[in-house]
Amino acid sequence: MAKMYYDDDADMSLLDGKRIAIIGYGIQGGAQSLCLRDSGCDVVVSELEGTPNYDRAVAEGYPDPHPGSRAGDGVQEPDRAEPGGG
């Protein structure tokens, strides 16, 4: 049987004082960056200027989603094995 995890199972203090960089603001990167930000984490995103995902990142509150901007303490990159994963 699969183990179920809930909010109380996560120790968010492990991310205190850390900046998380999300590389790619597609389906996964956009959703995960917003969830992390809503949970109180310091999140920056990186997306190619002039793309629809860049415009969406700006509209959703990331004012400077440039590639390589402001390196994070932790980085999430898109899953290259997924179809269309960059």
Side-chain angles (χ1 to χ4, degrees):
M1 182 157 165
K3 173 154 174 55
M4 300 293 291
Y5 291 94
Y6 299 93
D7 289 348
D8 291 341
D9 294 320
D11 183 1
M12 294 300 287
S13 70
L14 296 172
L15 299 176
D16 286 348
K18 303 223 185 293
R19 172 172 283 164
I20 301 163
I22 305 293
I23 310 303
Y25 203 75
I27 291 172
Q28 289 182 358
Q32 292 172 6
S33 68
L34 292 172
C35 286
L36 286 164
R37 186 177 71 183
D38 290 348
S39 295
C41 296
D42 181 13
V43 179
V44 294
V45 300
S46 178
E47 186 54 73
L48 295 174
E49 190 168 0
T51 65
N53 287 341
Y54 179 94
D55 295 337
R56 187 167 63 96
V58 171
E60 292 178 351
Y62 294 102
D64 187 25
H66 291 289
S69 66
R70 294 185 209 78
D73 294 300
V75 176
Q76 174 196 324
E77 295 189 52
D79 184 351
R80 303 282 181 207
E82 288 291 322

